[in-house]
Amino acid sequence: MPVTDTVSRRERTNLMLLPRPFAKTLLPHALDERVTGYLLDSSSGVAAPDELSQVATWLQSALRPATGLLLDRDAGGAIALQVDDLLGDDAYRLQVSPEGVRIAGGSAAGVFYGCQSLLQLLPPAIFRRSRVTGVSWELSAVEVEDAPRFGWRGAMLDVARHFMPKHDLLRFIDLMAMHKLNILHLHLTDDQGWRIEIKRYPWLTEVGAWRLESQVGADPNGPGDGRPHGGFYTQDDIREIVAYAAERFITIIPEIESPGHVQAALAAYPELGVTGAALDVWTRWGVSENVLNAEESTVEFFANVLDEVMDLFPSPFIGVGGDECPKNQWRNDRRVQARITELGLTDETALQAWFIARLNERLTARGRRLFGWDEILEGELPADAVVASWRGMTGAAVAARRGHNVVACPDNTVYLDYRQSLAPDEPIPVAIPLTVEDVYQFQPIPDGLTDDEAERILGGQANVWTEHMDSPRTIDYFVFPRICAIAEVLWSGPSHNFADFAERLDEHLARLDAVGVEYRRSTGPLPWQRRPGITGRPHTR
């Protein structure tokens, strides 16, 4: 992996997708055998070399398949990985010179992001998973310094509506890491399915993980497909997924919905519901009217579920949902109304806040923080709760002014289930069109906040709801390349230079091709990406 014999240039970039390599003159030989070694170093004295072993192992696995180079640890190696405490935790410095490659980071995570940028400086074929011939693995002499604007750079993936098998979820994690995203918000339960094994309550997956069929299209009166759907992750699966993500410096935040979006749980344990009636896992999209009752035993049930969830996920944040909870059953049930009186509450909204607060007690006792959708702002909210603002940015502004940390994920900018153009051949078109340029305008910090309030915005995330995404390749189509634009905004901060991004994105698409991502082309969906004749739910702005 030779370096061009030119003067090294220093480039300060805050762009997730790196610019083109700078020099054009190449060394006459194809490979430099010095690259067959790497050195783990910590000249600052802060971190032991062992802290970088995980990154070095990953870098070996990323470089070896396409190049065939054997990257063994060698004190004389041409790739040096280093922790430097003068850099911020996630910041990195990437230096390429005739003497070799040195990647320094403020932490092992920073070194990892530097390694990702190293791959971006190589030809796109580096992302192939077998030996590639006829490619020169040259690097231009360059120095790059970079650091993220936001600490929360995430994606929410809904595996409840359509289950994503473990193999494909691990691939999604790799694609997140490729784009320097570091938070995977995993939506594990909903009306249409329960996707995580809870040993204390086995029927949650024996019953709740399977539905008889799925609604076709977005028309509420649309037909069912007559095809059973289901699946769940065992606890061993979850441990593997969490560890795999951690090796790529991605934290997984689990979400267990309550007190609404719970029909799959009620199908397994009807006594948790208001009516106690036997139910099936819901086969329709939207929001079921069936919700949890307010009995102490129901609170304890979900607190016990969260105990097992916390045993599996080390994340400091645990999602409890709190969104779109219908109140009709509560209003019309004598026992629920009596409970509201017993608890000294004013109404059904206060009852929902009470339920959320009770779950928060269990989370707090385990040293975790509650994470919920912006509906949790409608009642009293624990001081350290984190709010996901999805109904535009109003919730973000309100939460920040009330002293809460915020994750920005407004539906009118970063909901990747929304249609991608006005064209009639978009598959099952939902809501407003969100183009790559639209999502590139994402502003995680709402206008009008003070500096202190703005500091409460942790970052943002893209949300991927899968009612109409029944396969990993369909998720590819809806997510890419729009998430590339969101990743750059979350790494760099908002930019108005879309033309510059679009030029670099064109080159980045070659990397997605090499990985095998079936992204949406700028010309529209390919024939097999269309869903002719299936009704959507298009809206205008």
Side-chain angles (χ1 to χ4, degrees), residues 19 57 91 99 117 125 151 165 240 266 273 302 312 317-318 326 328-329 356 360 362 402 419 433 491 494 503 521 529:
T57 299
E99 286 67 49
S117 292
E240 177 185 358
L266 301 183
F302 271 77
L312 295 167
F317 309 99
I318 302 293
N328 289 337
Q329 288 188 344
I356 295 295
N360 183 67
R362 187 63 64 92
R402 287 172 54 176
R419 59 185 172 142
W491 182 271
E503 185 178 0
R521 268 61 177 174
Q529 293 171 328

Side-chain angles (χ1 to χ4, degrees), residues 17-84:
L17 303 179
L18 286 170
R20 301 180 186 88
F22 306 106
K24 299 299 183 183
T25 305
L26 304 180
L27 291 180
H29 53 287
L31 292 174
D32 184 340
E33 293 304 320
R34 292 178 309 144
V35 84
T36 60
Y38 67 90
L39 170 67
L40 298 179
D41 182 29
S42 180
S43 62
S44 67
V46 172
D50 285 348
E51 293 183 60
L52 297 179
S53 293
Q54 172 182 311
V55 179
T57 299
W58 176 87
L59 184 58
Q60 284 178 310
S61 69
L63 291 173
R64 184 177 295 176
T67 67
L69 296 172
L70 299 176
L71 291 166
D72 297 322
R73 187 175 300 194
D74 180 352
I79 299 179
L81 307 181
Q82 175 187 15
V83 171
D84 184 346

Side-chain angles (χ1 to χ4, degrees), residues 504-521:
R504 290 179 288 108
L505 179 61
D506 283 344
E507 295 192 359
H508 185 63
L509 295 179
R511 302 180 188 120
L512 298 183
D513 287 329
V515 173
V517 176
E518 294 192 26
Y519 55 87
R520 182 192 185 276
R521 268 61 177 174

Side-chain angles (χ1 to χ4, degrees), residues 247-424:
E247 289 169 358
R248 289 148 182 81
F249 300 93
I250 292 173
T251 299
I252 300 184
I253 298 176
E255 181 183 355
I256 305 297
E257 278 276 14
S258 63
H261 285 286
V262 291
Q263 186 160 325
L266 301 183
Y269 295 92
E271 66 272 18
L272 300 174
V274 173
T275 69
L279 298 168
D280 291 326
V281 177
W282 213 31
T283 60
R284 314 301 296 172
W285 308 134
V287 182
S288 169
E289 287 290 316
N290 294 293
V291 298
L292 298 176
N293 61 44
E295 300 300 325
E296 196 64 32
S297 58
T298 298
V299 174
E300 185 63 19
F301 182 103
F302 271 77
N304 292 337
V305 168
L306 292 178
D307 276 341
E308 291 198 30
V309 169
M310 287 186 282
D311 288 342
L312 295 167
F313 293 91
S315 163
F317 309 99
I318 302 293
V320 299
D323 63 310
E324 297 179 325
C325 179
K327 308 295 194 300
N328 289 337
Q329 288 188 344
W330 287 353
R331 292 189 188 100
N332 299 325
D333 185 78
R334 292 180 182 178
R335 176 56 186 151
V336 172
Q337 290 300 310
R339 281 289 284 165
I340 290 175
T341 301
E342 290 170 15
L343 296 169
L345 304 174
T346 56
D347 56 17
E348 293 78 22
T349 298
L351 179 64
Q352 178 173 337
W354 170 84
F355 194 98
I356 295 295
R358 290 297 308 279
L359 297 182
N360 183 67
E361 292 173 5
R362 187 63 64 92
L363 299 180
T364 300
R366 297 279 301 269
R368 310 297 182 90
R369 295 177 65 184
L370 182 144
F371 175 58
W373 301 103
D374 59 33
E375 284 92 336
I376 63 177
L377 287 166
E378 296 167 7
E380 292 296 324
L381 189 60
D384 64 347
V386 178
V387 177
S389 180
W390 73 274
R391 295 177 295 179
M393 291 295 283
T394 300
V398 171
R401 287 172 179 145
R402 287 172 54 176
H404 297 290
N405 285 133
V406 176
V407 175
C409 49
D411 67 321
N412 60 358
T413 310
V414 296
Y415 266 43
L416 299 188
D417 57 315
Y418 285 11
R419 59 185 172 142
Q420 302 191 57
S421 77
L422 294 169

Side-chain angles (χ1 to χ4, degrees), residues 54 58 109 112-113 116 166 169-178 181-186 237-253 312-314:
Q54 172 182 311
W58 176 87
F112 179 78
Y113 301 136
Q116 290 286 3
K166 182 186 68 175
L169 180 54
L170 298 179
R171 173 181 178 269
F172 189 85
I173 290 169
D174 279 329
L175 290 169
M176 288 182 63
M178 178 181 177
L181 297 170
N182 66 346
I183 298 289
L184 173 56
H185 170 187
L186 201 56
D237 290 336
I238 293 293
R239 293 184 186 95
E240 177 185 358
I241 293 164
V242 168
Y244 190 88
E247 289 169 358
R248 289 148 182 81
F249 300 93
I250 292 173
T251 299
I252 300 184
I253 298 176
L312 295 167
F313 293 91

